[in-house]
Amino acid sequence: MNQREGYTDDVVKGFITWSIIWGVVAVLLGVVISLQLAFPQLNLPPYLTYGRLRPIHTNAGIFGWGIGSFMAFFIFITQRLTKTRLWSPGLARFQLYLFNVVIALAALTLMLGFNRSKEYAELEWPVALLVVVLWVIFSINIIMTIIKRKEEQMYISLWYIMATLVGVAVLYLVNNAAIPISLTKSYSAYAGANDANVQWWYGHNAVAMVLTTPPLALFYYFLPKSTGVPIYSHRMGIIAFWSLVFMYLWTGAHHLLWTPVPDWVQTLAMAFSVMLIAPSWAAVFNGYFSMNGQWHQMRENYLVKFLIFGVTFYGLQTLQGPSQAVRTFSAFIHYTDWIPGHVHMGTLGWVSLILFASIYYTVPKIYGREIYSVGLVNLHFWLAVAGQLIFSITMWVAGIQQAAMLHATNPDGSLHYSFMETLVEMYPYWHGRALGGIIYFASLLIFVYNIVKTVTAGKPAAVTQKA
Amino acid sequence: MLEKKPIIFLLIATGVILIGTVVTMIAPFKWINDPKLKIAEVKPYTPLQLEGRDLYIREGCNNCHTQTVRPLLADVERYGDYSKAGEFVYDQPHLWGSRRTGPDLARIGGKYPDAWHYKHMADPQSMVPRSNMPKYAFMQRPLDASLAERKMKALGFPYSQAELDALKGKSEMDAMVAYLQKLGNDIPWRKAARTTVAGDIKNPFRDDRSVLAEGKSIYDKECAQCHGNDLKGGVGPSLADLKQSEADMFKIVFSGSPAGGMPAFGDILGKERVWKVVTYLKSRGH
């Protein structure tokens, strides 16, 4: 299966390189803004304040690191699963250039304050239009490759890939509808509670279509490749796929519990969020059962370690998420630091661990080299997991404490704490969060060093490699 | 079957995605825009307020401040009457936010006098010592209002030439404060929510020196930003030489004095702690 000739892998190399670069930027900015929360004097107005840098952090993470590497692996995986060369390598090279232009423009315009304010859809309309062009040429290239495929059966990963392509397109077009005022300013086409409901339909399904279906496509491909045994149940994968893409779209309003959005929309969102546990855990167990008789590989095969820890964080994430989507718990925990703790278990734990595994698998293959240092891979793994856990656990404790203080009342019904009394209690946790971020950033530098050394100084790979 | 037909697969997947989309995203437009939810008192933004709102968006204030009060005891006591759908009909985009690193601002309008906001925006720590908000002193620069008319037209808000002319010479800070003072203030919730103090107004701690320390600490946290650490005044008047009776002082602190820009502290502090502050202030008066 290791046919390098015939496949377009140069552009895969390009996307991997640039997504790593944007990933480093995203995590570095994350560390910076976590320190700004703890030490407000680190804000340097007007351009380098928390309010302007936080959207750059999220956009660089989701679009630069996330989408960038998904583009790499969709191109890599699709060619191999269809046994077909990419439909248009030229278009893919153009896509790589455009991708970097878009992400750089996004960072620059957000720093200048050109911001639509809708979370994960902040980019002003000219940049958003470029994103649409980027997505269209990417989708055409992948879908045409699939249509022209030489392998008739489409493996489950291709399902997730295709769902991602249409899902992102629908979400992005609807939520970015705007009334342009100038090149750098527009207003949302929707108002008030409508706008909020559209935004969180988008916001939560960005989690579905960018942070769930693509890593699942990668997981279903790279887990069997890494272990050498097939996935436990194709049928369970299919059932989980359809129920996942059906149920996810109903859940956006769990971000809007107790707001003026109609109650029945909130209730539906709450119910479907709880139901989503089933398809999420079907994927998790499909992963676990595939390890039957192979658990020893957790010791011997670092790829498996990343993948199984990643899917475990996915499992925890998809239990915690539905619990937050229940009205009573949301009333307590929403708007506190618990939420960033939750989000970062998904991004730093689930998505990034899957991406690390995919990169560790792919880079030696497409460069024809062996990994430079397995020791450094393991160090990277443990530092990343430690950094992420310190981050998330700190934020969960912080969130519970602040929520409890905000809701505390005196016997006469008055509030026991002022807002500031609850805020000052957050400082120690914010220091802890920054520490977790710094450890994660350190793990990322080790990862980058190892990848660079693999490409430049790795031993040439043995000819017969276990595929 | 589907495993072999990518085009049919794509169409079916799109259809499946659209079911939840239609029910929970498209259908609610009808419910949210129900005429019954309209609130007559809610007015569109003036050109100055709209410029302020755009600055709020430019600076990403929504990354730390929400703008929806939930119908929960803690939210309503801390921030005011819970938010209604009809209050947001002119908000394109909505600015409800997702994280309260700072307090909710849905009802900040009218809570503090303008002078408080100018000082606080320029240097938050001078008003709230341990706040982690960035300093926005640079917003004292002139406001660029070149797009103001086009914005009002695009959103269909009424405006007059006089309002546009008045934008000349305004600073970004002026616009920001004008916006903040409008927030949540269209409906007369403050009047409706005013607690009237019933029954005997008598200080349970009169001459009780043991509560002075707590009274002072409440003063330092809640009052000093406007009335000064030494009671000499600042944004608010000096309290160094008060002539009012204890009962009158209690009423002002508990229910506020909207004409003078004094917020009500009754919901936040409760009766007992208000009396402790009053006791402390009285002890300083002699």
Side-chain angles (χ1 to χ4, degrees):
Chain A
M1 280 290 281
N2 186 25
Q3 313 135 298
R4 281 198 288 131
E5 41 320 315
Y7 293 148
T8 302
D9 284 340
D10 282 353
V11 73
V12 175
K13 291 178 185 171
F15 272 110
I16 289 177
T17 305
W18 282 99
S19 74
I20 292 176
I21 290 169
W22 292 117
V24 170
V25 170
V27 176
L28 181 62
L29 273 176
V31 171
V32 169
I33 61 175
S34 78
L35 290 168
Q36 283 180 329
L37 285 174
F39 306 98
Q41 60 274 29
L42 294 177
N43 285 283
L44 304 174
Y47 301 113
L48 304 175
T49 56
Y50 179 86
R52 293 201 189 188
L53 291 182
R54 189 231 172 206
I56 307 182
H57 162 66
T58 54
N59 278 278
I62 298 169
F63 297 103
W65 165 235
I67 295 275
S69 41
F70 296 137
M71 285 176 165
F73 295 117
F74 282 15
I75 293 173
F76 179 87
I77 291 174
T78 303
Q79 296 186 90
R80 280 154 180 84
L81 286 178
T82 58
K83 294 205 169 69
T84 308
R85 183 178 158 83
L86 189 68
W87 181 65
S88 169
L91 205 54
R93 271 191 296 278
F94 173 69
Q95 181 195 335
L96 176 61
Y97 282 108
L98 186 58
F99 166 76
N100 281 309
V101 169
V102 166
I103 304 292
L105 264 180
L108 186 70
T109 54
L110 289 174
M111 198 163 72
L112 292 174
F114 308 146
N115 182 337
R116 300 177 68 243
S117 88
K118 296 173 102 174
E119 273 183 82
Y120 325 124
E122 288 93 347
L123 307 179
E124 265 304 346
W125 67 272
V127 189
L129 267 184
L130 290 179
V131 174
V132 173
V133 174
L134 184 66
W135 199 255
V136 168
I137 60 175
F138 174 50
S139 303
I140 290 176
N141 220 346
I142 295 292
I143 290 169
M144 286 309 289
T145 310
I146 293 175
I147 288 174
K148 296 201 167 296
R149 72 195 182 285
K150 298 194 184 82
E151 170 73 51
E152 199 186 11
Q153 194 83 5
M154 296 191 297
Y155 180 64
I156 187 86
S157 291
L158 290 177
W159 296 38
Y160 281 106
I161 287 175
M162 285 193 282
T164 303
L165 297 179
V166 287
V168 170
V170 172
L171 294 166
Y172 202 81
L173 287 174
V174 174
N175 192 45
N176 276 276
I179 308 165
I181 301 295
S182 72
L183 270 180
T184 57
K185 176 74 194 167
S186 67
Y187 289 118
S188 172
Y190 320 103
N194 282 328
D195 190 54
N197 197 44
V198 173
Q199 156 61 23
W200 287 109
W201 163 81
Y202 165 88
H204 194 69
N205 288 296
V207 176
M209 297 298 169
V210 178
L211 303 177
T212 304
T213 51
L216 281 175
L218 270 52
F219 179 76
Y220 276 116
Y221 180 82
F222 287 113
L223 184 71
K225 284 288 175 193
S226 305
T227 57
V229 295
I231 203 78
Y232 166 73
S233 166
H234 190 63
R235 172 172 298 192
M236 189 154 96
I238 288 172
I239 294 170
F241 171 85
W242 288 110
S243 29
L244 188 91
V245 296
F246 173 67
M247 289 179 198
Y248 237 112
L249 281 293
W250 298 68
T251 57
H254 69 217
H255 290 256
L256 297 168
L257 298 179
W258 304 99
T259 70
V261 164
D263 269 353
W264 64 266
V265 181
Q266 301 179 27
T267 305
L268 272 179
M270 184 165 100
F272 274 84
S273 301
V274 174
M275 279 150 63
L276 261 180
I277 295 173
S280 309
W281 272 77
V284 176
F285 274 103
N286 221 345
Y288 286 164
F289 289 156
S290 304
M291 293 293 290
N292 277 342
Q294 303 296 324
W295 284 104
H296 59 92
Q297 293 205 36
M298 286 291 280
R299 271 194 310 274
E300 300 148 5
N301 185 341
Y302 55 83
L303 295 174
V304 174
K305 196 158 59 189
F306 276 95
L307 290 166
I308 292 298
F309 262 73
V311 88
T312 301
F313 281 126
Y314 176 58
L316 296 173
Q317 186 76 356
T318 51
L319 282 183
Q320 195 181 47
S323 77
Q324 294 161 208
V326 173
R327 271 203 185 86
T328 34
F329 191 49
S330 168
F332 182 69
I333 214 71
H334 197 33
Y335 304 130
T336 71
D337 270 332
W338 174 283
I339 309 299
H342 169 69
V343 172
H344 284 82
M345 175 161 68
T347 52
L348 300 180
W350 154 237
V351 180
S352 292
L353 290 190
I354 299 296
L355 288 179
F356 293 140
S358 309
I359 293 173
Y360 280 132
Y361 174 90
T362 310
V363 165
K365 280 239 153 30
I366 56 183
Y367 285 92
R369 310 244 185 199
E370 278 178 22
I371 197 78
Y372 173 72
S373 162
V374 174
L376 286 180
V377 174
N378 284 320
L379 184 61
H380 166 214
F381 175 82
W382 288 111
L383 283 178
V385 171
Q388 187 256 307
L389 285 176
I390 291 172
F391 184 118
S392 288
I393 293 171
T394 311
M395 290 295 91
W396 294 329
V397 178
I400 293 170
Q401 177 171 341
Q402 193 177 22
M405 291 179 80
L406 286 169
H407 287 267
T409 51
N410 297 316
D412 66 357
S414 61
L415 296 171
H416 192 71
Y417 297 102
S418 72
F419 185 84
M420 271 313 289
E421 282 176 299
T422 73
L423 185 145
V424 297
E425 296 299 326
M426 294 298 105
Y427 281 107
Y429 297 111
W430 287 340
H431 300 156
R433 183 238 309 262
L435 175 71
I438 288 167
I439 293 173
Y440 201 90
F441 185 66
S443 87
L444 206 52
L445 294 181
I446 293 166
F447 163 69
V448 171
Y449 175 78
N450 206 3
I451 292 294
V452 170
K453 287 302 250 184
T454 301
V455 171
T456 56
K459 273 188 285 187
V463 183
T464 50
Q465 222 173 14
K466 199 173 142 203
Chain B
M1 184 268 284
L2 281 177
E3 287 103 316
K4 294 175 184 173
K5 299 203 162 44
I7 302 293
I8 295 176
F9 171 87
L10 272 174
L11 291 174
I12 293 179
T14 311
V16 169
I17 286 171
L18 285 178
I19 300 170
T21 299
V22 168
V23 177
T24 65
M25 191 275 279
I26 295 174
F29 273 70
K30 185 170 160 344
W31 271 263
I32 294 170
N33 296 325
D34 189 327
K36 282 200 295 278
L37 299 175
K38 267 227 155 76
I39 302 176
E41 297 101 319
V42 174
K43 298 277 177 288
Y45 296 96
T46 66
L48 186 64
Q49 290 165 350
L50 186 65
E51 290 297 335
R53 191 169 199 272
D54 288 341
L55 295 171
Y56 186 98
I57 292 172
R58 182 188 75 187
E59 295 309 326
C61 304
N62 53 301
N63 285 292
C64 288
H65 295 282
T66 55
Q67 287 189 19
T68 26
V69 182
R70 300 173 295 175
L72 303 170
L73 178 75
D75 265 34
V76 171
E77 287 202 349
R78 187 165 277 114
Y79 303 118
D81 197 9
Y82 68 87
S83 297
K84 326 277 188 288
E87 293 184 84
F88 300 101
V89 291
Y90 299 113
D91 285 10
Q92 286 176 262
H94 77 292
L95 292 172
W96 293 359
S98 61
R99 170 79 184 93
R100 286 177 182 160
T101 300
D104 186 273
L105 300 181
R107 303 233 177 263
I108 192 74
K111 180 172 180 181
Y112 301 109
D114 288 357
W116 186 92
H117 283 294
Y118 280 97
K119 275 185 83 172
H120 179 261
M121 285 292 301
D123 185 5
Q125 287 72 25
S126 72
M127 308 295 280
V128 186
R130 294 204 63 199
S131 163
N132 66 342
M133 178 166 144
K135 297 183 193 339
Y136 286 97
F138 74 92
M139 289 177 73
Q140 281 143 357
R141 67 194 184 188
L143 174 72
D144 170 16
S146 55
L147 294 171
E149 187 166 14
R150 201 187 294 183
K151 290 174 178 176
M152 296 299 281
K153 276 189 182 145
L155 294 175
F157 293 168
Y159 63 95
S160 67
Q161 192 56 44
E163 281 176 317
L164 293 178
D165 293 342
L167 294 176
K168 284 194 196 90
K170 295 283 187 203
S171 68
E172 291 187 340
M173 198 76 99
D174 294 331
M176 183 65 114
V177 174
Y179 170 61
L180 291 174
Q181 294 292 29
K182 199 248 188 205
L183 274 181
N185 221 6
D186 283 343
I187 61 170
W189 70 275
R190 272 185 207 283
K191 234 178 248 164
R194 285 278 295 281
T195 336
T196 38
V197 189
D200 207 10
I201 304 183
K202 215 169 129 194
N203 187 355
F205 304 112
R206 174 167 286 182
D207 299 329
D208 180 352
R209 301 197 62 82
S210 68
V211 302
L212 292 183
E214 196 189 340
K216 179 177 183 336
S217 100
I218 297 168
Y219 176 88
D220 289 344
K221 268 187 224 137
E222 304 288 348
C223 320
Q225 39 181 288
C226 286
H227 295 286
N229 289 321
D230 47 3
L231 283 70
K232 294 260 168 62
V235 171
S238 163
L239 306 178
D241 194 21
L242 285 172
K243 298 277 181 277
Q244 283 104 322
S245 69
E246 283 189 329
D248 286 342
M249 286 166 66
F250 176 84
K251 276 190 214 161
I252 293 174
V253 179
F254 193 90
S255 310
S257 157
M262 168 82 180
F265 286 91
D267 283 344
I268 301 169
L269 293 174
K271 257 188 189 170
E272 228 174 66
R273 284 191 287 175
V274 172
W275 276 122
K276 286 174 183 166
V277 177
V278 169
T279 310
Y280 165 68
L281 289 174
K282 265 294 175 203
S283 79
R284 293 288 305 265
H286 304 287

